[in-house]
């Protein structure tokens, strides 16, 4: 930019800076300045200039030189020259326009450079990429310039500086003979496609290949077809041949039909609520896709195989919903519900109410996790243990723990435990009910009955398949119906029913082990305040004595 090139009989040179507009080619000008170098290119730094003649224009004609001379900057740098030869390497800008190419003759090779802003003086475009191709014969005119960042041979990155013909106008690059078009690959592709038979492929892929074949034959018969057109037709035909799909075999088709039928029956027999939404939806999606392939008469072998694999994979990935055990939480809530607010201090009761509200919220949440249930149980248990008894409550017999222990037996089923352990529980339960109904029962009698019932609960032994003739195993609830159990309690009976939709427990029979131990601790903690009452009462009685 901001430069011009001038030339006389002795040579040419770059004049810099010169930014005046309106200067025409052939203008006679005198420039005074000093020699300098810019990135290897010799230039005359302007001090002053004078326009000697702008009317009688003397346009400089390019000097025709060999390609070797076209690369000799020392001899021809700054001069307007012309080279002719065969195009070798070709480089393009990111937008696809021609950026640089080499041209060679018997003497050597020249590099022709087209700056990004250089366009055709007639069309205002750079369309040289369409005609300047490897093998074409061209004539190129430009000023020999030392380019500091020319493209390296065989690369799209800039290399070392080199002398190039700096093009003034795209119109000054002329293709005198187009490159010979090589149709060898296209001919081979056409022959390969023509040898195939339709019966071995699906209708849609065969039709696509036939379209590409017709187009390829048209390009091959076109005497004016360019190498680019030939190459594109070859690629398109080869791609269409590669995309040909074999028809579905009878065996594979039957396999898809069987798989779709089996999965359709399976999802009708399964309860959606028993599986995660994501895995259930995945099966539905895969089944719909498999049905679409099954009903597609043009489905390929690979499509059918993929549909079978996807459907089987989705079924295998069905994820059952994890059953959350709320036995201990339910027991803790029941124990808290048996307590009387007037028996405890306001602060400790407020803490209990907060924990109880949270426990009820967790229990009623269908999406609650086991961790949330366990945390709510621990919090409520801690709140019960932290209750502080009021002074007035110490004068009465506290049956909260006994009541909670009796309530805990109401959810149990005799068939779920061994005969001996169940008989011991019934004995303790009868005694507990008798004590609870006795208006004259002492605190010691209440505590003893409570301890005996808790011991019997703790001693329950779960029944196994060998413990009787019952056809229902402990811990299993029918998914379609309900089960009921009756527990004797002081001459009265109570029953509990668990349906397949309940989220409170994973089975109709009570659990033993860690969960049951936690239930017992809840009951014990419900009566922890009673221990203090007994102690203080006894101490007061001792003092009275």
């Amino acid at each position: 930019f901001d430069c011009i090139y001038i030339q006389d009989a002795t040579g040419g040179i770059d004049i810099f800076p010169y930014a005046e507009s309106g200067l025409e080619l052939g203008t006679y000008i005198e420039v005074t300045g000093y020699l300098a170098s810019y990135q290897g290119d010799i230039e005359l730094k302007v001090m002053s200039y004078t326009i000697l003649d702008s009317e009688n224009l003397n346009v400089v004609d390019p000097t025709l030189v060999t390609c070797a001379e076209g690369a000799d900057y020392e001899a021809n740098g700054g001069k307007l020259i012309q080279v002719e030869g065969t195009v070798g390497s070709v480089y393009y800008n990111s937008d696809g326009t021609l950026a640089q190419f080499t041209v060679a003759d018997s003497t050597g090779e020249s590099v022709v450079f087209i700056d990004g802003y250089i366009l055709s003086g007639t069309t205002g475009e750079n369309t040289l990429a369409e005609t300047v191709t490897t093998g074409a014969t061209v004539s190129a005119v430009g000023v020999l310039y030392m380019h500091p960042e020319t493209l390296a041979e065989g690369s799209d990155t800039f290399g070392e500086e080199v002398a190039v013909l700096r093009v003034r106008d795209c119109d000054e690059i002329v293709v005198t003979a187009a490159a010979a078009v090589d149709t060898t690959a296209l001919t081979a592709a056409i022959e390969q496609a023509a040898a195939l038979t339709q019966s071995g492929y699906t209708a849609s892929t065969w039709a696509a290949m036939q379209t590409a074949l017709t187009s390829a034959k048209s390009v091959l018969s076109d005497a004016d077809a360019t190498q680019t057109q030939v190459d594109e037709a070859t690629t398109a035909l080869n791609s269409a041949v590669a995309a040909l799909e074999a028809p579905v075999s009878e065996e594979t088709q039957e396999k898809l039909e069987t798989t779709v039928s089996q999965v359709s029956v399976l999802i009708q027999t399964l309860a959606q609520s028993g599986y995660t939404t994501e895995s259930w939806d995945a099966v539905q999606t895969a089944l719909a896709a498999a049905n679409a392939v099954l009903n597609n008469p043009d489905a390929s072998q690979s499509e059918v195989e993929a549909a079978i694999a996807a459907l089987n994979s989705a079924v295998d990935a069905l994820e059952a919903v994890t059953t959350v055990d709320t036995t201990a939480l339910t027991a803790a809530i029941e124990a808290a519900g048996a307590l009387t607010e007037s028996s405890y201090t306001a602060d400790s009761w407020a803490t209990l109410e907060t924990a109880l509200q949270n426990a009820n919220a967790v229990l009623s949440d269908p999406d609650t996790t086991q961790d949330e249930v366990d945390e709510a149980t621990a919090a409520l248990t801690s709140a019960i243990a932290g209750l502080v008894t009021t002074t007035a409550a110490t004068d009465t017999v506290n049956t909260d723990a006994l009541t909670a222990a009796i309530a805990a037996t109401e959810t149990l089923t005799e068939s779920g435990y061994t005969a001996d352990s169940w008989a011991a529980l019934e004995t303790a339960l009868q005694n507990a009910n008798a004590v609870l109904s006795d208006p004259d029962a002492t605190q010691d009698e209440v505590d003893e009955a409570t301890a005996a019932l808790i011991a019997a609960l703790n001693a329950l032994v779960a029944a196994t398949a060998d413990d009787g003739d019952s056809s229902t195993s402990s811990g299993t609830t029918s998914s379609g119906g309900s089960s009921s159990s009756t527990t004797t309690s002081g001459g009265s009976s109570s029953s509990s029913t668990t349906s397949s939709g309940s989220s409170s427990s994973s089975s109709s029979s009570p659990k033993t082990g860690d969960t049951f131990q936690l239930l017992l601790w809840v009951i014990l903690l419900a009566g922890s305040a009673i221990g203090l009452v007994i102690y203080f009462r006894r101490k007061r009685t001792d003092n009275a004595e």
Side-chain angles (χ1 to χ4, degrees):
F1 295 100
D2 295 341
C3 71
I4 60 174
Y5 283 84
I6 64 173
Q7 182 174 325
D8 62 12
T10 64
I13 194 169
D14 177 13
I15 304 300
F16 177 85
Y18 187 94
E20 298 291 335
S21 61
L23 188 65
E24 294 188 63
L25 294 179
T27 299
Y28 195 37
I29 186 173
E30 179 182 78
V31 180
T32 301
Y34 58 92
L35 287 178
S37 174
Y38 177 72
Q39 296 182 331
D41 193 47
I42 304 300
E43 63 184 13
L44 182 65
K45 282 290 187 71
V46 177
M47 297 173 64
S48 64
Y49 65 88
T50 303
I51 303 296
L52 301 178
D53 188 352
S54 60
E55 295 181 0
N56 301 307
L57 302 178
N58 183 21
V59 178
V60 177
D61 292 324
T63 301
L64 180 62
V65 299
T66 65
C67 288
E69 291 171 332
D72 188 349
Y73 184 80
E74 186 176 347
N76 295 308
K79 290 176 63 175
L80 185 66
I81 60 175
Q82 177 181 359
V83 296
E84 295 178 349
T86 304
V87 176
S89 301
V90 181
Y91 303 91
Y92 303 92
N93 295 308
S94 59
D95 62 359
T97 56
L98 187 63
Q100 177 181 304
F101 64 93
T102 60
V103 56
D105 60 13
S106 59
T107 66
E109 184 178 76
S110 291
V111 178
V112 180
F113 173 72
I114 305 100
D115 240 322
Y117 60 87
I118 298 299
L119 305 172
S120 164
T122 55
T123 66
E125 298 178 341
N126 176 358
T127 59
L128 293 172
E130 298 175 5
T131 54
V132 179
T133 58
T134 300
T137 302
V138 300
S139 168
V141 174
V143 176
L144 192 58
Y145 163 71
M146 185 61 74
H147 198 305
E149 296 179 332
T150 188
L151 292 169
E153 178 68 23
S155 169
D156 290 331
T157 58
F158 288 110
E160 61 184 13
E161 62 183 31
V162 66
V164 301
L165 267 74
R166 190 173 186 177
V167 175
R168 305 180 299 180
D169 187 331
C170 287
D171 291 341
E172 292 186 314
I173 298 177
V174 179
V175 176
T176 56
V181 177
D182 184 359
T183 60
T184 304
L186 178 59
T187 301
I190 290 174
E191 291 175 354
Q192 178 191 11
L196 302 175
T197 55
Q198 182 175 359
S199 60
Y201 306 98
T202 61
S204 61
T205 58
W206 180 262
M209 191 277 286
Q210 287 296 315
T211 299
L213 178 59
T214 300
S215 176
K217 288 179 177 179
S218 176
V219 171
L220 185 63
S221 63
D222 183 1
D224 296 324
T226 65
Q227 187 65 54
T228 299
Q229 291 173 320
V230 169
D231 293 343
E232 289 175 350
T234 304
T235 300
L237 181 54
N238 285 333
S239 297
V241 170
L244 285 170
E245 289 276 3
V248 182
S249 66
E250 263 184 51
E251 180 183 358
T252 305
Q253 184 70 16
E254 290 175 359
K255 186 176 180 180
L256 177 60
E257 291 173 357
T258 301
T259 303
V260 168
S261 176
Q262 290 175 340
V263 175
S264 297
V265 171
L266 177 65
I267 62 173
Q268 289 175 0
T269 58
L270 296 177
Q272 181 176 353
S273 60
Y275 300 91
T276 62
T277 300
E278 183 178 359
S279 65
W280 185 267
D281 289 348
V283 172
Q284 296 285 7
T285 299
L287 181 59
N291 270 311
V293 173
L294 185 62
N295 296 321
N296 179 13
D298 197 35
S300 66
Q301 179 76 17
S302 62
E303 288 175 330
V304 172
E305 290 174 349
I308 294 172
L311 187 51
N312 285 330
S313 177
V315 172
D316 291 341
L318 268 175
E319 182 179 354
V321 175
T322 303
T323 302
V324 179
D325 184 0
T326 60
T327 305
L329 180 58
T330 301
I333 291 173
E334 290 173 354
L339 302 176
T340 305
E341 181 178 359
S342 61
S343 298
Y344 305 99
T345 62
D347 289 343
S348 63
W349 187 261
T351 301
L352 174 67
E353 284 192 319
T354 300
L356 182 58
Q357 287 175 359
N358 177 63
N360 279 313
V362 170
L363 186 63
S364 63
D365 183 1
D367 297 320
T368 191
T369 65
Q370 189 64 54
D371 286 344
E372 291 172 334
V373 168
D374 293 345
E375 289 172 4
T377 303
L380 183 54
T381 301
S382 177
I384 292 174
L387 284 171
V388 178
T389 310
T390 61
T391 303
T394 62
D395 295 329
T396 60
V397 176
N398 192 319
T399 61
D400 291 347
L402 181 58
T403 301
I406 292 172
T409 66
E410 294 177 357
T411 60
L412 306 180
T413 305
E414 180 178 357
S415 61
Y417 303 93
T418 62
D420 290 343
S421 64
W422 185 261
L425 175 65
E426 284 191 321
T427 299
L429 181 59
Q430 288 173 2
N431 178 60
N433 278 308
V435 171
L436 185 63
S437 62
D438 182 1
D440 298 322
T442 66
Q443 188 66 56
D444 285 344
E445 289 173 332
V446 169
D447 294 343
E448 289 170 3
T450 303
L453 183 54
I454 289 175
L457 284 167
N458 194 35
L460 280 174
V461 179
T464 63
D466 297 329
D467 290 330
D469 297 329
S470 175
S471 61
T472 302
S473 299
S474 172
T476 303
T477 300
S478 170
S479 64
S482 64
S483 63
S484 64
S485 64
T486 303
T487 303
T488 302
S489 177
S492 63
S493 65
S494 62
S495 64
S496 62
T497 302
T498 302
S499 68
S500 63
S502 172
S503 64
S504 297
S505 175
S506 61
S507 64
S508 61
S509 61
K511 294 184 178 292
T512 60
D514 293 341
T515 300
F516 195 69
Q517 291 294 336
L518 179 57
L519 180 147
L520 296 178
W521 274 108
V522 169
I523 296 170
L524 287 170
L525 289 169
S528 63
I530 302 171
L532 292 174
V533 174
I534 294 170
Y535 172 77
F536 285 118
R537 175 181 295 171
R538 285 177 179 171
K539 183 174 182 181
R540 185 180 60 183
T541 302
D542 292 341
N543 290 337
E545 292 174 354

